[in-house]
Amino acid sequence: MPRPSSAQDRLPRILDRLARAYPEAGCGLDFATPFELLFATVLSAQCTDRRVNLVTGRLFPKLDGPRSVVEMGEERLAEAIRDVGLFRTKAHALVSLSRDLIDRHQGEVPADRKALQALAGVGSKTASVVLANAFAIPALAVDTHVFRLSHRLGLSSAKTADGTAEDLMALVPKARWIDLHHQLIWHGRLVCQARAPACATCTLLSLCPEGRRRTRSGKQA
Ligand code: SF4
């Protein structure tokens, strides 16, 4: 097997193979409005999309934007979301966030990174998810899957999620940011799992430094 070339050289083939493997990859959270996506993204911290969707599937029909969240109050909201981890902390965060949206943006979710990140509890990853999926504004959120795969594929060596996002955005054409985010998540869930990546059958093996290392050492699923 030839030696892997630089990230820049390998990138077009990585993008191409991921696009072919996951043509339908998209946001795993159910939502109908930017506010619902923001709400669901806050709930999704350390929780699967499937569980979040179960909770929001029951809750969203009873909510109508941030005012209804503030009216519901922390205690009732915590009870309604108790099936997700850290539900009390998240209920507190969602009520604060909803108040902020009402006070600063008349209850609307701003389609602007700076304004989003100025809201209570909204960091760069949440802002990127909302910009990309609610407003189709190019953004590249780095979650645990995107972070792991970016490093295994040798696309970033940054120690933080924000640093990894910067590396990816410098390397990947803007038009591919949103798709790549989803495709890396799907690949991370289905093939390149944290503990047992299936390198032997992975479509990216010939382009992946970590996969080559693992197959050489026999350390792969
Ligand atoms: S070759 Fe292995 S480490 Fe590389 S992306 Fe595929 S599964 Fe992950």
Side-chain angles (χ1 to χ4, degrees), residues 140-158:
L140 219 165
V142 173
D143 72 350
T144 181
H145 298 295
V146 176
F147 185 86
R148 184 176 68 254
L149 266 78
S150 299
H151 287 71
R152 285 180 173 172
L153 287 163
L155 303 179
S156 174
S157 55

Side-chain angles (χ1 to χ4, degrees), residues 60-128:
F60 282 166
K62 299 176 200 158
L63 292 180
D64 184 19
R67 284 183 181 81
S68 62
V69 173
V70 172
E71 278 162 20
M72 194 172 196
E74 245 178 85
E75 215 159 296
R76 278 175 58 215
L77 182 59
E79 190 55 37
I81 64 170
R82 64 175 304 125
D83 288 342
V84 302
L86 307 171
F87 63 95
R88 288 194 196 287
T89 309
K90 289 176 182 174
H92 177 76
L94 285 163
V95 171
S96 303
L97 173 56
S98 298
R99 272 206 195 96
D100 242 7
L101 282 171
I102 295 164
D103 292 347
R104 299 183 189 200
H105 301 285
Q106 297 77 48
E108 297 296 321
V109 176
D112 173 83
R113 175 175 295 282
K114 211 169 157 198
L116 277 168
Q117 289 187 215
L119 294 167
V122 176
S124 64
K125 183 188 144 225
T126 298
S128 293

Side-chain angles (χ1 to χ4, degrees), residues 186-216:
W186 281 40
H187 197 59
R189 284 180 182 154
L190 299 173
V191 180
C192 189
Q193 291 164 2
R195 292 200 181 156
C199 301
T201 54
C202 176
T203 185
L204 300 179
L205 176 59
S206 64
L207 301 166
C208 178
E210 175 67 12
R212 291 162 60 92
R213 192 182 66 73
R214 284 175 179 261
T215 47
R216 269 200 307 270

